[in-house]
């Protein structure tokens, strides 16, 4: 019995670990998503930093900043849809688009909320 266990352990030790699954397309898309998400945030932050916050309400300024970054948002939405189709090949293009819009909508909402907080802080400093 000990011999059988020893042989089993030796045979398992001799086996090479499974090679990690390479997913270069998914990794590439994830990197592009991360970059676009960061670019979207930087764009909104830049618009907020350059905005005149003295007269308009914070919410209006934040909405305009987010609107000004629409091209990056659109590129991010397309990339999220591509990523969704890669992970869920059975999704229709419409389903992937719905997922992408919802995902980017969450990011946009968070950026807008952070922008409002930043604007209000700036407004309070100028008073």
């Amino acid at each position: 019995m000990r011999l059988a266990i020893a042989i089993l352990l030796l045979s398992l030790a001799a086996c090479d670990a499974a090679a990690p699954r390479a997913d270069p397309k998914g990794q590439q898309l994830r990197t592009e998503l991360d970059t676009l998400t960061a670019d979207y945030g930087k764009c909104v932050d830049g618009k907020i930093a350059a905005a005149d916050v003295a007269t308009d309400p914070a919410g209006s300024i934040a909405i305009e900043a987010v609107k000004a970054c629409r091209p990056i948002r659109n590129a991010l939405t397309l990339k999220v849809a591509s990523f969704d189709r890669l992970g869920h090949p059975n999704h229709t293009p419409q389903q992937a688009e719905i997922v992408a819009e919802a995902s980017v909508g969450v990011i946009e909402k968070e950026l807008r909320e952070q922008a409002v907080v930043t604007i209000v802080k700036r407004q309070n400093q100028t008073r």
Side-chain angles (χ1 to χ4, degrees):
M1 180 70 169
R2 285 185 177 169
L3 182 60
I5 293 174
I7 291 173
L8 178 64
L9 289 175
L10 286 174
S11 66
L12 288 175
C15 293
D16 289 335
R21 191 176 128 213
D23 184 14
K25 180 69 173 168
Q27 291 172 354
Q28 177 187 354
L29 280 172
R30 182 173 298 272
T31 301
E32 292 170 8
L33 282 172
D34 291 344
T35 300
L36 281 170
T37 302
D39 290 348
Y40 190 26
K42 288 176 190 173
C43 178
V44 172
D45 289 346
K47 299 297 180 189
I48 295 303
D52 178 14
V53 298
T55 57
D56 292 329
S60 297
I61 298 168
I63 288 169
E64 289 304 313
V66 170
K67 280 183 184 177
C69 299
R70 176 88 39 192
I72 297 172
R73 183 198 193 282
N74 293 342
L76 180 59
T77 303
L78 289 174
K79 197 61 68 176
V80 171
S82 295
F83 191 73
D84 180 72
R85 283 192 301 275
L86 181 68
H88 302 282
N90 293 334
H91 276 187
T92 65
Q94 293 80 12
Q95 288 172 316
E97 186 176 318
I98 289 168
V99 168
E101 278 296 327
S103 298
V104 175
V106 170
I107 294 168
E108 181 177 332
K109 181 178 183 267
E110 186 175 316
L111 287 174
R112 194 171 47 250
E113 289 171 355
Q114 290 174 355
V116 168
V117 170
T118 301
I119 293 164
V120 168
K121 285 179 183 177
R122 284 183 54 205
Q123 288 173 334
N124 288 338
Q125 290 172 349
T126 59
R127 291 183 180 152

